[in-house]
Amino acid sequence: AQRVTQPEKLLSVFKGAPVELKCNYSYSGSPELFWYVQYSRQRLQLLLRHISRESIKGFTADLNKGETSFHLKKPFAQEEDSAMYYCALRNTGFQKLVFGTGTRLLVSP
Amino acid sequence: DGGITQSPKYLFRKEGQNVTLSCEQNLNHDAMYWYRQDPGQGLRLIYYSQIVNDFQKGDIAEGYSVSREKKESFPLTVTSAQKNPTAFYLCASTQGQEPNEKLFFGSGTQLSVL
């Protein structure tokens, strides 16, 4: 079965500090991995997906199939990064997207 | 202004009552989804529909029902069989069938039990 684990409910850092939001998954095939973000009073929206190998708002995420991880990283956190972050997985055979429980990132000045 | 519209923003349900949450999209997307968001549990899939007149159960479909009579609309009914309906409900859509396509989300409906 597909499963996404985000072990941290809350991650609190100071502005300028590095950030790593952890995401581990369990799936036997070739998954598609995503990070979604929900800023205060805004809709849930896509931050990035592994297939694009992109950097969005300074965030990157590398798919590590050996460790079944897709951690989200940013070298220098900004206050505006404070939000709820969800890791998600979709397998190649079905349309449903499975979400983790989310990690709230709080960046303090 | 294209997007997904959910209504109402807040909804209250009485004991034994069925309530329907509306989700409309003008993005011409084929696939639509309903998720339930509970604190500490993330988003859980209730139902999804890949095409008009077709839908599949998600992980927590019990106590819910849906219909997909039009491409633009995917209403969710929370029935009296759903014993713990208080939650934030999110509707989403994707354009097609590719696994790497992103979901577009509505602004959500908060359902509470009186």
Side-chain angles (χ1 to χ4, degrees), chain A residues 62-100:
Chain A
D62 292 318
L63 178 62
N64 186 323
K65 291 189 177 181
E67 296 182 358
T68 59
S69 68
F70 188 56
H71 303 327
L72 184 68
K73 300 178 184 179
K74 185 168 182 177
F76 307 104
Q78 303 299 314
E79 289 180 68
E80 55 265 31
D81 295 329
S82 295
M84 194 73 177
Y85 291 81
Y86 291 96
C87 183
L89 174 153
R90 174 186 280 147
N91 67 35
T92 53
F94 301 95
Q95 284 303 300
K96 68 175 187 178
L97 194 63
V98 176
F99 285 84

Side-chain angles (χ1 to χ4, degrees), chain B residues 1 10 22 29 31 42 45 51 54 56 67 75-76 87 98 100 108 114:
Chain B
D1 185 25
Y10 300 97
S22 170
H29 284 175
L45 182 65
I51 197 168
D54 185 53
Q56 286 81 40
S67 63
L76 173 74
E98 294 301 316
N100 61 3
L114 291 175

Side-chain angles (χ1 to χ4, degrees), chain A residues 9 32 34 36 38 43-46 49 51 84 86 90-102, chain B residues 4 33 35 37 40-43 45 48 50 59 88 90 94 96-103 105-107:
Chain A
K9 287 189 177 180
E32 299 288 340
F34 306 79
Y36 281 80
Q38 191 169 28
R43 302 183 183 205
L44 193 61
Q45 59 187 287
L46 178 71
R49 47 194 149 184
I51 196 169
M84 194 73 177
Y86 291 96
R90 174 186 280 147
N91 67 35
T92 53
F94 301 95
Q95 284 303 300
K96 68 175 187 178
L97 194 63
V98 176
F99 285 84
T101 52
Chain B
I4 300 179
Y33 309 78
Y35 285 90
Q37 189 176 28
Q41 296 195 54
L43 279 73
L45 182 65
Y48 63 105
Q50 295 176 274
D59 300 316
F88 191 64
L90 284 169
T94 56
Q97 308 293 322
E98 294 301 316
N100 61 3
E101 289 197 45
K102 70 177 184 180
L103 266 65
F105 282 90
S107 55

Side-chain angles (χ1 to χ4, degrees), chain B residues 44-94:
Chain B
R44 292 181 291 167
L45 182 65
I46 305 172
Y47 268 98
Y48 63 105
S49 168
Q50 295 176 274
I51 197 168
V52 175
N53 292 322
D54 185 53
F55 48 83
Q56 286 81 40
K57 292 182 179 180
D59 300 316
I60 55 165
E62 187 175 349
Y64 300 97
S65 66
V66 293
S67 63
R68 187 86 187 277
E69 297 177 3
K70 298 187 298 182
K71 188 175 186 178
E72 309 81 45
S73 179
F74 191 40
L76 173 74
T77 296
V78 184
T79 74
S80 57
Q82 173 48 244
K83 297 307 178 188
N84 185 23
T86 296
F88 191 64
Y89 291 85
L90 284 169
C91 180
S93 70
T94 56

Side-chain angles (χ1 to χ4, degrees), chain A residues 4 35 46 72 104:
Chain A
V4 177
W35 276 98
L46 178 71
L72 184 68
R104 180 166 297 283

